[in-house]
Amino acid sequence: MIKRIIIIVILIIGSFYAEVVNKNEDDLLSFSNEDDNNKISIEKEVVNINDIYIYGNHLNMSGTISLTDSINEHSEKFAGIEILYPTLEVTDAKLVLYNDEDNYYELKTNIEGNNINFVIGDKLNNGLNLDNLDIENYYVLLKVFYKYDESKYYQLNNTTTYKVTEYYPIGNKYKINVNSNNDLNTIGFNITKSNNESVYDIIIDPGHGGLDVGACYRYTDPCETDYTIKYSKALKEKLESYGLKVALSWTDVKSSEKVVEYGPNGRATKGYSLNAKFVFSIHLNSAYDYNLSGLEIYTPYNIDYTLAKQLANNIKNGAGTNYSSNKHNQIIDGVYTRTFTNAEINDYN
């Protein structure tokens, strides 16, 4: 006998952006500093960016550079006197968004002699927050710091297949066009005002639906999908009252039909096609153990759990419920991460 557990399971997914965007030449990023006094000197060596993506509302990238010319011992003549400059010793490296001044962002670096490997964030959903930028144009550079207070700038060469991507922040305040078409041939941010009506902040996915009714109480009505669509519509209305733009992954599907999963309007891809930052999938679980009950939030693997923990705490306190007593796949109270095994994937296929 299956007993209904009073539980809402929310799958938190930061929508993933890494598509090559085909643009006309007029739309590509091109900018330069008008004041020549603010021009910066770029070294010959180039940082090779081997991974770049936007997940949720954070941009992450990783890269590597091998320093040679700019740090080796060399001599220069000044006023007829030859001055010897010793080999520079690397002490630190930071990401810089440059627009007449340096805007620094910390990196996780591995420095071995002249070689620097770095990543902005070591989790899917941390890195450079794209929701708090000014409407400006920025060069994205690596700034390397050396012993005795010297520093140099290096351009970022995007070696991935994702040469251009776009991002719209929460509230659709602006559009960020990310590409390397600028006078420094480095990754750049071209940020402009936006009023794109097709951009959404959040997608809510009512679990199951149509032919897939989910779990049913005592194997008969009511079933899971009867509640998930009701709760999802209520949540959508509540979030919209805060000024957020929200869509459902599906709405009116007959019990004799299947919910479309893939394609432009599929439940699995709608978050991407609508440029949403987050997808919340609502479920009600069932189990054979009559003692299990409470709130469970399921998340992707390899994420920073700060947001999930805040959500679990807020729902528990706001709704007056409790954390689930289920310990399987539990990360912290109320938060779980579960991945699919090969056997489960093969069985589904």
Side-chain angles (χ1 to χ4, degrees):
M1 185 71 65
I2 297 179
K3 180 183 178 183
R4 163 70 56 206
I5 298 177
I6 305 172
I7 212 167
I8 299 178
V9 180
I10 303 178
L11 175 63
I12 307 169
I13 305 174
S15 295
F16 182 91
Y17 299 97
E19 181 186 23
V20 179
V21 181
N22 293 319
K23 290 289 183 182
N24 294 325
E25 210 168 294
D26 292 340
D27 296 329
L28 292 177
L29 172 62
S30 181
F31 60 88
S32 61
N33 295 320
E34 295 180 0
D35 186 353
D36 288 338
N37 293 326
N38 289 331
K39 284 289 187 180
I40 55 178
S41 176
I42 305 296
E43 302 303 317
K44 293 180 180 179
E45 298 94 334
V46 173
V47 181
N48 286 320
I49 298 300
N50 48 52
D51 193 21
I52 182 170
Y53 62 86
I54 299 172
Y55 187 95
N57 55 354
H58 287 77
L59 178 140
N60 210 338
M61 70 172 76
S62 61
T64 182
I65 185 172
S66 180
L67 300 168
T68 52
D69 294 344
S70 64
I71 68 170
N72 287 342
E73 179 182 294
H74 66 283
S75 61
E76 294 180 6
K77 283 189 176 182
F78 179 75
I81 301 173
E82 189 167 359
I83 301 174
L84 179 66
Y85 293 89
T87 300
L88 296 176
E89 180 182 340
V90 177
T91 59
D92 196 9
K94 295 183 186 297
L95 191 75
V96 169
L97 265 61
Y98 183 83
N99 183 355
D100 293 341
E101 63 180 10
D102 292 338
N103 299 281
Y104 291 113
Y105 293 87
E106 295 296 327
L107 297 170
K108 297 182 182 298
T109 58
N110 176 25
I111 301 173
E112 296 180 352
N114 298 349
N115 298 315
I116 302 175
N117 299 304
F118 71 86
V119 62
I120 303 179
D122 57 356
K123 303 295 182 184
L124 282 175
N125 58 334
N126 61 25
L128 174 58
N129 191 329
L130 297 176
D131 280 354
N132 301 310
L133 297 175
D134 294 328
I135 299 178
E136 300 284 356
N137 294 327
Y138 299 92
Y139 300 104
V140 186
L141 302 162
L142 183 70
K143 190 172 184 179
V144 179
F145 297 84
Y146 299 97
K147 204 170 182 179
Y148 307 120
D149 297 326
E150 187 165 358
S151 61
K152 297 177 183 290
Y153 295 95
Y154 300 86
Q155 70 187 68
L156 307 183
N157 175 35
N158 183 0
T159 66
T160 74
T161 57
Y162 303 111
K163 302 300 183 183
V164 181
T165 192
E166 292 177 351
Y167 174 78
Y168 299 83
I170 294 287
N172 194 21
K173 297 168 289 187
Y174 49 73
K175 177 181 77 171
I176 302 178
N177 184 294
V178 183
N179 72 44
S180 303
N181 189 44
N182 54 68
D183 55 341
L184 293 186
N185 294 316
T186 190
I187 291 175
F189 291 174
N190 177 219
I191 306 179
T192 55
K193 290 183 179 180
S194 171
N195 57 358
N196 191 333
E197 293 297 323
S198 65
V199 172
Y200 283 74
D201 296 314
I202 294 171
I203 304 298
I204 301 172
D205 174 49
H208 304 281
L211 283 171
D212 179 9
V213 296
C216 297
Y217 178 69
R218 298 184 185 276
Y219 300 105
T220 184
D221 292 337
C223 292
E224 186 173 356
T225 188
D226 298 322
Y227 295 98
T228 60
I229 187 65
K230 176 182 176 181
Y231 295 159
S232 295
K233 288 180 178 179
L235 179 58
K236 176 178 182 291
E237 184 177 337
K238 186 67 174 178
L239 291 173
E240 287 174 336
S241 73
Y242 293 115
L244 295 168
K245 194 165 182 181
V246 184
L248 297 181
S249 66
W250 64 272
T251 51
D252 300 318
V253 177
K254 296 179 181 178
S255 59
S256 59
E257 299 175 340
K258 286 185 176 181
V259 176
V260 176
E261 294 196 1
Y262 299 101
N265 293 310
R267 74 188 315 164
T269 54
K270 201 165 187 177
Y272 177 78
S273 62
L274 295 181
N275 291 280
K277 271 57 68 180
F278 300 97
V279 176
F280 298 92
S281 185
I282 299 182
H283 290 257
L284 291 93
N285 277 353
S286 63
Y288 291 98
D289 186 345
Y290 279 70
N291 296 315
L292 288 179
S293 66
L295 168 70
E296 297 181 354
I297 292 183
Y298 281 81
T299 77
Y301 177 71
N302 190 34
I303 68 164
D304 182 307
Y305 287 100
T306 302
L307 175 61
K309 187 176 181 179
Q310 289 174 341
L311 282 172
N313 184 63
N314 290 346
I315 294 171
K316 173 181 175 291
N317 295 334
T321 185
N322 58 284
Y323 295 132
S324 173
S325 50
N326 174 26
K327 300 299 181 184
H328 191 54
N329 297 312
Q330 186 186 63
I331 303 299
I332 51 180
D333 286 344
V335 178
Y336 300 76
T337 292
R338 180 183 182 279
T339 55
F340 293 108
T341 65
N342 285 332
E344 287 173 321
I345 293 171
N346 291 334
D347 182 61
Y348 179 85
N349 289 337

